Amino acid sequence: MHIIRRTLLALFAAGLSLSAHAAVQNIDVGTPLARFALLKPGTHHYLRFMRTPAGASQPIDIWTREIRFEEREGKQLMRIVQRWDGVLPTPSVRTYDSWFEAGSFRPLSHERISERDGKRVVEGFVFAPDKITGMRELADNTQKDLAVASAEPTYNFETDIEFLQALPLAEGLDARINFYHPGGSMAPQRYSFRVTGSANIAGPAGPVDCWVVKTDYNRPGSDSTFWFAKGSQLMLRQESPLPDGRVMVKTLID
């Protein structure tokens, strides 16, 4: 009897191990995304603020994200345009303009313009299968000499919210995604985004049942948490703890 019980326990443990392994999914650039159709043309606004250990909320900016589908050079492409209207530490404006293959979310180009205290900084990037380079033809591009090698094609980290919306979110999913922040100091690398459960949270029109997604951005011990509405998979909220005890919050306004 004890032998049978030990055998059943071993088989059960092995089954759990296999299930956990099966939940890990490498998301490779160029592969059609399971729920890309959830990305609809339209605009959403988020409020970003800092929550202090004392419970105060300090506004940072209003974050506008727009998805478009447009034809360029005879191809139907996706375009994501962002605008950040900041208030801290001084008024500022940032605009991002990013292009992608429709269906796969393969990044093609990314332009970023920042304006603060009368200074304007232009940055432009081109994504290729083995590298990310500065956009040579973009006027005033401060990143024109950039050349970052990548062992495999990488996704654009500055459009992660829409990208995660197109994944097959489900209980136990552990998506491993190669991301690169254009012009950043970190090399392209795989990050783990895990669906850890479900939760109801407040949305602009009332309570919403959400998938809860976590990542530590390859910094163990500092999980960021996302809430994506089931059905549309639109991100409603993100909370990211900082080393000083504050929490960066992004919450959907409309």
Side-chain angles (χ1 to χ4, degrees):
M1 186 71 178
H2 292 297
I3 294 174
I4 294 174
R5 182 179 298 172
R6 286 198 300 270
T7 302
L8 289 173
L9 288 172
L11 289 171
F12 180 72
L16 285 179
S17 176
L18 287 172
S19 296
H21 178 73
V24 174
Q25 184 174 341
N26 284 331
I27 311 297
D28 298 322
V29 176
T31 302
L33 296 182
R35 297 178 186 166
F36 187 86
L38 291 178
L39 298 173
K40 308 291 187 184
T43 303
H44 293 286
H45 297 89
Y46 291 85
L47 170 66
R48 291 201 317 158
F49 65 93
M50 199 71 72
R51 191 171 63 223
T52 70
S57 296
Q58 301 171 333
I60 300 172
D61 54 29
I62 299 293
W63 184 24
T64 304
R65 304 181 74 104
E66 180 186 3
I67 296 177
R68 306 175 185 175
F69 289 90
E70 301 179 8
E71 185 171 310
R72 190 174 75 172
E73 298 177 356
K75 294 182 180 180
Q76 184 74 5
L77 302 176
M78 182 176 68
R79 185 180 185 185
I80 297 177
V81 178
Q82 304 179 51
R83 179 183 172 100
W84 311 61
D85 291 284
V87 295
L88 290 178
T90 58
S92 62
V93 175
R94 287 183 290 160
T95 56
Y96 300 170
D97 191 352
S98 314
W99 290 83
F100 310 84
E101 282 185 354
S104 71
F105 222 114
R106 180 197 298 274
L108 302 173
S109 65
H110 183 71
E111 296 179 34
R112 183 168 61 221
I113 299 176
S114 304
E115 298 180 73
R116 174 179 288 172
D117 297 330
K119 298 179 181 179
R120 186 172 185 268
V121 178
V122 177
E123 300 170 278
F125 311 87
V126 176
F127 286 76
D130 61 343
K131 60 186 175 182
I132 304 92
T133 56
M135 192 180 294
R136 306 292 297 184
E137 70 277 12
L138 179 63
D140 302 321
N141 184 11
T142 60
Q143 298 278 357
K144 67 180 180 179
D145 295 324
L146 179 86
V148 176
S150 183
E152 61 177 320
T154 182
Y155 292 105
N156 182 351
F157 224 155
E158 292 204 291
T159 53
D160 57 333
I161 301 309
E162 291 81 8
F163 181 83
L164 295 171
Q165 184 182 357
L167 295 184
L169 300 181
E171 188 75 38
L173 174 70
D174 184 352
R176 307 292 174 88
I177 306 160
N178 192 37
F179 271 131
Y180 172 66
H181 186 283
S185 59
M186 300 292 290
Q189 57 187 287
R190 291 267 178 177
Y191 297 84
S192 170
F193 288 82
R194 311 175 309 281
V195 179
T196 60
S198 302
N200 282 295
I201 68 168
V208 181
D209 188 18
C210 294
W211 293 116
V212 179
V213 178
K214 292 182 180 290
T215 183
D216 64 4
Y217 292 112
N218 295 343
R219 297 190 299 268
S222 60
D223 272 356
S224 289
T225 305
F226 304 78
W227 288 264
F228 288 90
K230 293 183 179 178
S232 69
Q233 297 195 169
L234 181 67
M235 191 191 84
L236 298 189
R237 191 175 181 88
Q238 178 185 351
E239 296 189 1
S240 301
L242 302 179
D244 62 6
R246 295 180 301 164
V247 178
M248 169 81 78
V249 180
K250 304 171 185 175
T251 187
L252 181 68
I253 301 172
D254 61 24

